[in-house]
Amino acid sequence: MLRYLTAGESHGKGMVAILEGIPAGLRVFEEKINLELGRRKWGYGRGKRMEIEEDKVEILSGVRKGITLGSPISLLIQNKDYRIEELPSLVCPRPGHADLVGALKYNTRDIRNVLERASARETVARVTVGAVCKLLLWEFKIEIISHVIQIGKIKIENKDLGFEKIKNLAEKSPLRCIDKSAERKMLAEIDKAREKKDTLGGVFEVIVKGVPPGLGSFMQYDLRLDGRLAQAIMAIPSVKAVEIGEGLINSGLLGSQVHDRIYYEKKRGFYRKTNHAGGLEGGITNGEPIIIRGYMKPISTLMIPLDSVNVVTKEAEKAAVERSDICVVPAGGVIGEAVSAFEIARCLREKLGGDSLSEMKRNYQAYMHILKNF
Amino acid sequence: MLRYLTAGESHGKGMVAILEGIPAGLRVFEEKINLELGRRKWGYGRGKRMEIEEDKVEILSGVRKGITLGSPISLLIQNKDYRIEELPSLVCPRPGHADLVGALKYNTRDIRNVLERASARETVARVTVGAVCKLLLWEFKIEIISHVIQIGKIKIENKDLGFEKIKNLAEKSPLRCIDKSAERKMLAEIDKAREKKDTLGGVFEVIVKGVPPGLGSFMQYDLRLDGRLAQAIMAIPSVKAVEIGEGLINSGLLGSQVHDRIYYEKKRGFYRKTNHAGGLEGGITNGEPIIIRGYMKPISTLMIPLDSVNVVTKEAEKAAVERSDICVVPAGGVIGEAVSAFEIARCLREKLGGDSLSEMKRNYQAYMHILKNF
Amino acid sequence: MLRYLTAGESHGKGMVAILEGIPAGLRVFEEKINLELGRRKWGYGRGKRMEIEEDKVEILSGVRKGITLGSPISLLIQNKDYRIEELPSLVCPRPGHADLVGALKYNTRDIRNVLERASARETVARVTVGAVCKLLLWEFKIEIISHVIQIGKIKIENKDLGFEKIKNLAEKSPLRCIDKSAERKMLAEIDKAREKKDTLGGVFEVIVKGVPPGLGSFMQYDLRLDGRLAQAIMAIPSVKAVEIGEGLINSGLLGSQVHDRIYYEKKRGFYRKTNHAGGLEGGITNGEPIIIRGYMKPISTLMIPLDSVNVVTKEAEKAAVERSDICVVPAGGVIGEAVSAFEIARCLREKLGGDSLSEMKRNYQAYMHILKNF
Amino acid sequence: MLRYLTAGESHGKGMVAILEGIPAGLRVFEEKINLELGRRKWGYGRGKRMEIEEDKVEILSGVRKGITLGSPISLLIQNKDYRIEELPSLVCPRPGHADLVGALKYNTRDIRNVLERASARETVARVTVGAVCKLLLWEFKIEIISHVIQIGKIKIENKDLGFEKIKNLAEKSPLRCIDKSAERKMLAEIDKAREKKDTLGGVFEVIVKGVPPGLGSFMQYDLRLDGRLAQAIMAIPSVKAVEIGEGLINSGLLGSQVHDRIYYEKKRGFYRKTNHAGGLEGGITNGEPIIIRGYMKPISTLMIPLDSVNVVTKEAEKAAVERSDICVVPAGGVIGEAVSAFEIARCLREKLGGDSLSEMKRNYQAYMHILKNF
């Protein structure tokens, strides 16, 4: 049973995660996790905080001589910008952020007390958790990438480039965008927003390759992998919509246009020629790549602040201005990869059982053998 | 702690649910639950099964003299069409359904063994659970409705009619559609699809009124109400995308166009003039109506079946034809209400604690008092 | 992931359970479950209710043609003695029962509203759940029995009879007691208590044979099988102490007297000559039989009622007299088997994964092979 | 919803815990937690490790200016004795420890890889979690203490000293023993065991004062507080039996001797003159002190090692000798306090809800008011 908790405030000592259920025998190195933290930090449109923070993980437990022990893996990312004790109180909530609702819920008039945890900085912890899960998935040839398909009003042109090409192009782009022409326009949009002291949202797409059929289950609503992924993606700050496969377009089409016909070849087993379903049928993986999109609203902290109310005086005032980003959609994708990695690894653990990587692999191979000879 | 499990197969003896965590002292009648079951069944485009089934619930436990005891509420809806033992085996999986992946996962060549549970008939159990949750929410003046905003390519025109008007219009429409002109076109679309032996999807919208600020939490990813609602809605069969508020449009706009500015009046407390966020900020309710949309693909069972493969012979064959519906978007909305009701009731229980309705109410009133004098 | 919920009141329509996570492909028959229900009902010292109730289970879902589908199994045991709506209210709480604390917690002055769910009749649902788990365990040659080792002050003489002998003797005894001489005295004790209109407790022992090493885990406190079993046994009504292996005696001995030395033979693998640990080391099974004991207090409902207080008038009164048993320790053992079966099956599912029995078995055999060649 | 995870190996960098669900507004200081860590470390019969380790906690998150934020509290205790990377491998499992079963389960022949997490050092993390929970409980006048009632064969004489006296005497005793005469004999027993290079177990008792009636629930087996406490106590390393109230003795008595009769006085409300039930009826607190006992086997690591087998060569060898303690029953009691504190705090949160301490208190006072006027 894979599960995790995170802790940490934006300007606290650091971000912490405990990830439980990773089998014994997996190679885990801090460098690998740091790569993911670097991918999260990077991207045009990020604010000054990204320059301050180094985002290096320290593995506190669960690993010995570079190999997991099967014990909980605890991960610490220290904040360079640790000053939560000195930071001034804040009384004008930013619309779109958790500031006001958090103050009401937790009964505090110093919004600092809630925004520190509500901050998207928490996602560094989720990214470290996801990085470890990715290492596990990699042992089963499951790979996860993301790219940006929209920023502001600029959308990429849909070209079916294939997994490797998308991966390579995305990693090289400052916006994780695989369409050079769209990228140029996106960069310009971000510059424009910066000038206006405004912010931008957009859409990222996560693609998971190599997932075997049969992960997730329709037997109970909370076992469906589509539902779990939707929760994971929607729980990323700023995400307000989630789409699996061609979910939006499909809602306007006929059944005969949508469903991925089934074919069989002895060598390949069952396969599809299309993947409108985004790799999930009935809440279960069907062996095609999982495709999931997160729609992000623009960042809530604007340099030209919006109308707000001082929670102490109740007078109209402008919202607080915290140092922030202009656009974080590329980071959204990297976080999307991480939380997807966790959910898929969780289903894989449920399917395969096992306490060591070798045991998981043995069970995996036996399952793949059955599938092949089904 | 509110939780539930459902059980039952499409042509089994019946559908069962156990709902735990409803406080003592709530009036619960079978008639109220049956009303919701009726709303689920109804709607233009439904198939013959809907005529066969009566869908009457029997409360097996948890209620005495019409009042809950605080004990688990178990609910049974008997299937009129009980014949799972006689139904023939099925070997040609329907694309889009869980048929093939279920057969592979559970290692059976009789697809009947998986489709019976994977069937959307299971949602009658979720609707009964949601119906009880609605009764609880009603005690706190929280009300949930749904309507259909798109079927096939036909979308309603966006008019801001207000909660009561939407409710009344939706309840009277055979498609739960509040736009008469769109409704006519939708009905025609469904007729066309029926003629072509094809199916249609669409979009439903769930609106929740009266939710106090402060439900859900950003403290851990799995406590966020946006994520929980996304899971609940995505876990409805055929839903492939979930949107909160104006999540899709907002991803293309500037921050200054999106975030709901904050105002204050002594009598009303904090309030907004817009609700682009759909009632949720930072994963927490902000006191505005919750708005959530489910995007449904067309039904997977077509009367002109799609290409498939016989799982026994491995020969190409057409998919199985099971009796089915043409369009279930109105039902999707009713199910969406039910699962949203559960998630909101769950957050309300976490916020208020309490073992009896009177205790919950006392804690609620104290909280509302604090909010008012914040 | 194995989990279950039960529902139902003592004089309600019936007891219900939903058990989720049983793999597809397991033979499950109502007769097998009814056998366990019969074993629970039986035993010298039971009250009149046991004569009224037939305790026949109806499987409502999860099974087709006698084989599990992998879907949730729902189980209904109808109450013959259904009259919860007519039963009079009750205002004098019975000491030792949940009557008073339940009334306070759920805020009701009619104790009937709480005792109906707090009644030990709920354990019929747990027994059905356990019966299904036993059928699963049986496929892995894991068998569970129980016997009574003490009633009132009468204890059996400790003789190491071996699993099969204990099983056979227990099944034939009206008190599930394997020591004929002790049994006679126990029967006399019960008769004496009946005459005095008093009640008796005692101790049962559950023995689990054939458990492979490696179930449960020390990696997190809530994964330990010793803790899970302790919770399961303590949560049986009337149980007030739980012991694993020779836990009580061992607390007074030296380490050198207690720990089960380790030996090895090529054919047997690692083994022990003693089993003071009761089959669990570090919260994990070690391959020796699991031995767990439940210490039951005497039944709380006495025919000569104890001092109590009328919760309405607050006047001193005698406690209510409900029809009840004199001694239920044999039933306690049967319930102990059931809840142990669930916990062990749960750990087995976590260890082996798999969605079908054949997949579980394949993974099991591979694991056993590794153990053998460790 | 209160929950926690711990991480860390015995000779790793440190022990980590994340505790979630503590309300905002609670004073939490590292000194308070360190006091509990000190209490755990202390006690006659402890080994050299206790001298090496300072056991100072660092709060990494969840607290600002000494006040909780409602966010997850993460706690780090660095190990002075950090050398997991250099420690030699270990091939002779110690009987009674998780060594052998862990090696088999996690498929490693270096037992070091399992004993590091299986070590009782992990309980420092549980103690920090419990220390925070104690601070929360203290706000509701709930206090938890422990004392040692048996070491080896030496038992204290049962004298009803009352909570405060027990607390004071226990805190001053090197064995947390309130009976001076027994303490002398216990010290001698420990010295004798040390000479023999043997180890000793014993029994601790945890007492919880000030718990309101109504925590826990009989509505589902896993909601019962007796079951939860049993799991928590049994999951402490070396504990092999758990007793609530006079659970052992009661199993041999008549109902009329056991059940705590109910009385009422206007000023006190309902009360009992005895507390044989140990404060729990039907799995729910009844307002009397909770009394729970843990029976610990002797430490598994002996300085004169027991028969074992080299897991690599399969030759008979003596078990590994790791530096260890002779007797840890006093520490067991302190750990018992901690895990009980968590379980009671968890039930309190479920009962009261609330996100801030002030909200919890308000709901608590309203509940106490109702109880008073029941």
Side-chain angles (χ1 to χ4, degrees), chain C residues 144-147 149 203-208 225-234 241-246 275 277-280 289-295 333 336-337 339-340 343-344, chain D residues 234 240:
Chain C
I144 306 186
I145 57 170
S146 70
H147 62 119
I149 62 176
V203 185
F204 62 82
E205 178 175 275
V206 174
I207 310 175
V208 190
L225 180 52
D226 50 8
R228 289 180 177 186
L229 285 169
Q231 175 177 34
I233 298 290
M234 191 70 94
V242 180
E243 179 188 17
I244 291 175
E246 293 164 19
N275 184 21
L280 287 159
I290 296 176
I291 294 166
I292 187 157
R293 285 184 206 91
Y295 291 76
E337 295 175 31
V339 297
S340 300
E343 296 299 339
I344 292 162
Chain D
M234 190 70 93
K240 299 291 280 188

Side-chain angles (χ1 to χ4, degrees), chain C residues 42-78:
Chain C
W42 202 56
Y44 198 77
R46 302 308 299 276
K48 220 180 154 194
R49 177 76 183 265
M50 293 306 107
E51 297 169 29
I52 296 175
E53 293 299 338
E54 256 189 76
D55 286 354
K56 297 284 180 213
V57 77
E58 185 182 2
I59 299 174
L60 294 176
S61 72
V63 177
R64 183 181 178 223
K65 300 180 180 174
I67 308 283
T68 58
L69 298 171
S71 52
I73 299 173
S74 52
L75 303 148
L76 171 65
I77 308 97
Q78 298 206 23

Side-chain angles (χ1 to χ4, degrees), chain A residues 6 96 105-106 117 198-199 214 216-217 219-220 240 242 244 255-256 259 261 263 277 280-281 298 307 314 374, chain B residues 6 96 105-106 117 198-199 214 216-217 219-220 240 242 244 255-256 259 263 277 280-281 298 306-307 314 374:
Chain A
T6 75
K105 179 180 177 76
Y106 293 99
R117 178 65 187 161
D198 215 320
T199 58
S217 173
M219 292 303 186
Q220 202 72 233
K240 298 291 279 189
V242 180
I244 291 175
S256 57
H259 299 296
R261 286 144 177 87
Y263 301 96
L280 288 158
E281 288 175 309
D307 291 355
K314 305 296 187 302
F374 183 84
Chain B
T6 74
K105 180 181 176 75
Y106 293 99
R117 177 64 186 162
D198 215 320
T199 58
S217 172
M219 291 304 186
Q220 202 71 233
K240 298 291 280 188
V242 180
I244 291 175
S256 58
H259 299 296
Y263 300 96
L280 287 158
E281 287 175 309
L306 304 175
D307 290 355
K314 304 296 188 302
F374 183 82

Side-chain angles (χ1 to χ4, degrees), chain B residues 108-163:
Chain B
T108 176
R109 286 191 180 180
D110 181 357
I111 290 164
R112 172 74 51 202
N113 288 334
V114 294
L115 73 83
E116 281 288 329
R117 177 64 186 162
S119 159
R121 178 145 184 83
E122 183 270 342
T123 56
V124 304
R126 288 190 233 177
V127 166
T128 59
V129 163
V132 177
C133 292
K134 276 183 162 188
L135 292 174
L136 176 63
L137 294 176
W138 181 247
E139 296 285 334
F140 298 87
K141 309 229 181 323
I142 300 171
E143 198 179 357
I144 306 186
I145 57 168
S146 69
H147 62 120
V148 168
I149 62 176
Q150 182 186 330
I151 281 183
K153 295 213 181 307
I154 314 301
K155 300 183 188 185
I156 68 167
E157 258 189 79
N158 254 324
K159 292 172 265 187
D160 198 5
L161 298 176
F163 189 88

Side-chain angles (χ1 to χ4, degrees), chain D residues 16-83:
Chain D
V16 191
I18 296 181
L19 169 60
E20 195 200 84
I22 294 293
L26 177 72
R27 293 195 157 268
V28 170
F29 291 106
E30 291 175 351
E31 295 74 41
K32 284 278 186 187
I33 303 173
N34 288 337
L35 281 180
E36 296 292 336
L37 287 173
R39 294 175 71 234
R40 174 192 167 279
K41 233 175 69 164
W42 203 56
Y44 198 76
R46 302 308 300 274
K48 221 181 151 192
R49 177 76 184 263
M50 294 305 109
E51 297 169 28
I52 296 175
E53 293 299 338
E54 255 188 74
D55 286 354
K56 298 284 180 213
V57 79
E58 185 183 1
I59 299 174
L60 294 175
S61 72
V63 177
R64 184 180 177 222
K65 299 180 181 175
I67 308 284
T68 57
L69 298 171
S71 52
I73 298 174
S74 52
L75 303 149
L76 171 65
I77 308 98
Q78 299 207 21
N79 288 334
K80 295 274 171 196
D81 202 15
Y82 165 40
R83 49 195 175 101

Side-chain angles (χ1 to χ4, degrees), chain B residues 317-328:
Chain B
E317 264 183 51
K318 290 294 170 183
V321 177
E322 288 267 301
R323 188 185 55 204
S324 188
D325 305 302
I326 291 157
C327 176
V328 295

Side-chain angles (χ1 to χ4, degrees), chain B residues 42 68 149 195 217-218 227 232 236 253 310 325 347 372:
Chain B
W42 203 56
T68 58
I149 62 176
E195 272 165 47
S217 172
F218 48 74
I236 298 172
L253 298 178
N310 182 314
D325 305 302
C347 285
K372 218 178 159 187

